[in-house]
Amino acid sequence: MSEPTTRTDVLVVGAGPSGLMAAVCLARLGVEVTVVDAKSGPTRESRALALQARSMEIYDQLGLVDRVLAEADRAPRIVTGYRARTFAPISFDRFGRTLTPYPGIYILEQSRNERILSDAYLAGGGDLRWQHRVTDLRTDGPQPRPVRATLESPQGTSSIEARWCIAADGASSWIREHLGLAFEGSTNPLRFYVVDAVGTTGLVEGSVNLRVSPSRFLLAFPMGAPGHHRLIGVAADDPDDRRLEATVRAGLAADFAVAYDRSDWFSSYRVHHRLADRFREGPVFLIGDAAHVHSPVGGQGMNTGLQDAHNLACKLADVRAGRADPALLDRYEAERRPVAQRLVGTTDEVFARVTSASRIAGFVRGRVVPWLGPAAVRLVPALIGTGRIYGYLGQLRIHYWSDPGERARRQGHRDPVVGRRLPWSGDNFAALQSMSWQVHGYGVPAPALDRVARSLGLERHRFPPDRYRRLSPDLLYLVRPDGFVAAAAAPDRAADEFAARLG
Ligand SMILES: Cc1cc2nc3c(=O)[nH]c(=O)nc-3n(C[C@H](O)[C@H](O)[C@H](O)COP(=O)(O)OP(=O)(O)OC[C@H]3O[C@@H](n4cnc5c(N)ncnc54)[C@H](O)[C@@H]3O)c2cc1C
């Protein structure tokens, strides 16, 4: 028996966190979307855990943050240490407090993120088809829907025609391979283990724990109940998980005096650092792990996929509604690939340093950390008091050049506001929930703001002067639907400059 051909605007292949985020955003923006996934339902394993501040802000924009807050745990501090000895805690709150309404790191398992997103998508009448595997994809069909996907399901063969296809089909992306896009990078010879450990002893509760020993490191995230932690580290390359878990337990006890009663989940995998050479091929866009993979150090993986999805969905919605030229879609790769490239490079370097078997690395871990660690930890608040490091970790410092020539014109100098996500002034994020282009003023007189917004036909929002002084009281700001600042200008020039930016 065959299902009939479906026609839609966007076909999303893969209902992991990236694909589901794309679907929720597109549906919110009024774009028709169908999601297919070869699996029988959402992920059951916890997999990725950390939700960074920027992802929380996106959940806020989508009106989903209350449920996320109700289900997530907060890790407001990190406790570092050497072997079983711990140094003074470093509070994340202190750094993020003026940057975002969601300082610190939130812990919410990937499976629960997927559940929240799929519930939101289905509650809005979404079309989500489990057990539907894409087995063929053609992109040369007639306009306006050049994409034609063939799907296999227990009900038989079916097809979907779409304007665009989002490949959110994970690290081994069938679509990426089918399109012949290279996925260059490296594979680390070590094996990463992840344990959801219950009845854990030897760790500081309610904190992210990071410990080193001369030969190993341990990263542990709290997972709700006391004693419940996600433990991450590296071990010898042993594909037998039972044997590997026994080795891991012995190493944890010997190196860090950490033990656990049982594991709810134990898994291991080789760490890849890879980046697709292109994120777009005609009407097909790669997002999430299909476009980039890297080590889980820093808890950035799932978050980057969520943000790829959010960025792309806003652009597709603008083009679908005729508000933007289709050329805008090239900006997706121009904006998101450099972010992924930097992330893959940084996590690769950090991972290589942390796990290095070299004598120098062993000396640093075994001799320098125990002596200098306690003092260095005390200096951290002063060293990163500006929130710079937290801003990177929380993915709040991402910057996009507005066009290919801007970088050269500005000689590489990034503007502190334009091209970045709108700085948080304490009360300006609720305005972003409409997911529309808008004009903001932070002290500019109301008539000037009204005149500019009216001339462009855009929503306007007037706020008191920014208490953190990141936004100027003399400028108006053009804010994109994804919450990034597209332009800033004095009120007398804003109408023209913003119109040029809007195209
Ligand atoms: C064991 C493990 C532990 C991890 N731990 C962490 C961690 O601690 N921190 C972290 O940041 N990241 C971690 N990750 C990585 C994290 O899980 C990924 O970054 C995240 O899942 C990427 O989401 P995604 O939606 O892009 O892809 P995925 O979650 O991989 O989703 C891809 C989906 O596409 C579907 N699909 C594939 N091919 C087809 C097809 N042809 N047709 C239809 N559907 C298809 C698959 O069924 C799947 O549901 C871990 C990954 C693994 C495997």
Side-chain angles (χ1 to χ4, degrees):
M1 196 174 79
S2 280
E3 295 172 60
T5 299
T6 308
R7 286 179 188 82
T8 186
D9 283 332
V10 183
L11 166 64
V12 176
V13 182
S18 310
L20 288 169
M21 174 58 88
V24 171
C25 293
L26 287 164
R28 261 292 303 278
L29 291 161
V31 180
E32 259 182 14
V33 54
T34 296
V35 185
V36 297
D37 195 299
K39 286 188 312 191
S40 56
T43 305
R44 286 201 189 89
E45 309 153 337
S46 59
R47 294 176 69 177
L49 267 196
L51 265 183
Q52 304 293 353
R54 182 63 193 142
S55 301
M56 294 297 289
E57 292 174 1
I58 292 173
Y59 275 128
D60 185 350
Q61 192 183 25
L62 293 167
L64 300 176
V65 82
D66 287 343
R67 180 158 169 207
V68 173
L69 287 170
E71 295 193 23
D73 291 302
R74 212 138 159 263
R77 70 187 80 82
I78 181 165
V79 178
T80 54
Y82 176 70
R83 288 186 167 276
R85 195 172 127 215
T86 54
F87 308 149
I90 304 168
S91 163
F92 292 127
D93 279 7
R94 189 185 157 120
F95 310 129
R97 209 169 50 197
T98 63
L99 294 177
T100 173
Y102 305 102
I105 292 185
Y106 290 80
I107 308 292
L108 186 67
E109 297 158 28
Q110 178 171 329
S111 51
R112 295 170 81 174
N113 279 276
E114 290 182 17
R115 183 68 69 182
I116 290 171
L117 288 165
S118 58
D119 284 355
Y121 178 56
L122 293 172
D127 179 6
L128 171 53
R129 304 181 192 181
W130 297 112
Q131 293 187 290
H132 280 68
R133 177 180 294 279
V134 172
T135 54
D136 192 29
L137 187 77
R138 304 187 65 93
T139 56
D140 53 1
Q143 294 291 350
R145 293 189 191 83
V147 176
R148 187 178 176 95
T150 306
L151 302 146
E152 300 296 337
S153 75
Q155 292 77 44
T157 304
S158 59
S159 57
I160 295 187
E161 291 171 4
R163 283 171 194 265
W164 299 291
C165 171
I166 297 182
D169 52 345
S172 328
S173 171
W174 178 87
I175 296 181
R176 188 188 62 232
E177 282 177 21
H178 176 71
L179 296 174
L181 297 175
F183 199 43
E184 308 263 294
S186 60
T187 300
N188 197 285
L190 294 167
R191 191 165 274 270
F192 232 100
Y193 69 82
V194 285
V195 194
D196 284 356
V198 181
T200 315
T201 52
L203 292 173
V204 179
E205 292 294 327
S207 309
V208 176
N209 285 256
L210 174 63
R211 305 262 185 91
V212 295
S213 74
S215 55
R216 294 190 173 85
F217 82 93
L218 166 65
L219 183 60
F221 292 93
M223 290 185 72
H228 196 175
H229 294 262
R230 158 71 64 84
L231 313 179
I232 300 175
V234 291
D237 189 13
D238 185 343
D240 181 329
D241 274 353
R242 273 174 164 234
R243 212 166 41 215
L244 187 64
E245 185 171 6
T247 317
V248 164
R249 272 182 184 268
L252 286 170
D255 281 48
F256 307 111
V258 167
Y260 58 87
D261 292 339
R262 64 160 215 275
S263 56
D264 276 354
W265 180 56
F266 181 94
S267 184
S268 73
Y269 57 103
R270 298 281 293 277
V271 173
H272 304 270
H273 292 96
R274 293 182 187 277
L275 184 68
D277 63 348
R278 275 173 295 136
F279 281 17
R280 176 180 187 185
E281 179 66 38
V284 183
F285 300 85
L286 305 188
I287 67 170
D289 276 20
H292 43 77
V293 286
H294 42 85
S295 88
V297 166
Q300 306 283 307
M302 178 173 70
N303 295 275
T304 309
L306 296 176
Q307 287 162 55
D308 291 343
H310 182 245
N311 179 296
L312 176 60
C314 291
K315 290 178 170 51
L316 290 171
D318 270 353
V319 172
R320 178 67 187 92
R323 287 186 293 270
D325 187 275
L328 174 71
L329 299 178
D330 286 335
R331 299 288 311 152
Y332 165 67
E333 176 178 308
E335 292 180 352
R336 294 303 299 172
R337 194 171 179 278
V339 171
Q341 191 169 25
R342 211 169 311 123
L343 189 64
V344 171
T346 316
T347 54
D348 189 17
E349 197 183 320
V350 172
F351 187 73
R353 277 175 202 238
V354 172
T355 59
S356 171
S358 75
R359 282 167 62 185
I360 295 178
F363 177 77
V364 170
R365 283 192 300 255
R367 305 272 171 187
V368 178
V369 171
W371 287 104
L372 292 184
V377 158
R378 270 188 215 101
L379 287 177
V380 167
L383 289 174
I384 56 174
T386 57
R388 212 179 165 82
I389 291 183
Y390 178 80
Y392 283 118
L393 269 177
Q395 304 199 338
L396 302 173
R397 291 187 61 82
I398 286 167
H399 173 272
Y400 304 142
W401 297 107
S402 68
D403 60 67
E406 196 202 2
R407 186 182 201 132
R409 283 199 306 278
R410 292 184 58 93
Q411 298 181 320
H413 290 297
R414 295 178 167 85
D415 189 278
V417 174
V418 178
R420 298 181 191 271
R421 131 285 188 203
L422 178 72
W424 180 56
S425 72
D427 56 2
N428 58 346
F429 276 15
L432 303 178
Q433 290 192 347
S434 63
M435 294 187 83
S436 58
W437 285 87
Q438 45 195 261
V439 183
H440 285 205
Y442 295 80
V444 170
L449 169 64
D450 292 352
R451 179 172 43 76
V452 171
R454 210 176 311 116
S455 75
L456 299 166
L458 299 182
E459 226 177 89
R460 68 187 189 288
H461 295 278
R462 187 159 178 267
F463 300 96
D466 176 10
R467 74 176 95 146
Y468 303 119
R469 301 193 188 171
R470 290 180 284 247
L471 294 157
S472 165
D474 303 321
L475 298 177
L476 290 174
Y477 295 93
L478 177 65
V479 183
R480 312 188 327 185
D482 64 356
F484 274 67
V485 180
D492 56 335
R493 301 201 333 258
D496 289 344
E497 291 196 16
F498 292 178
R501 188 68 195 76
L502 288 161

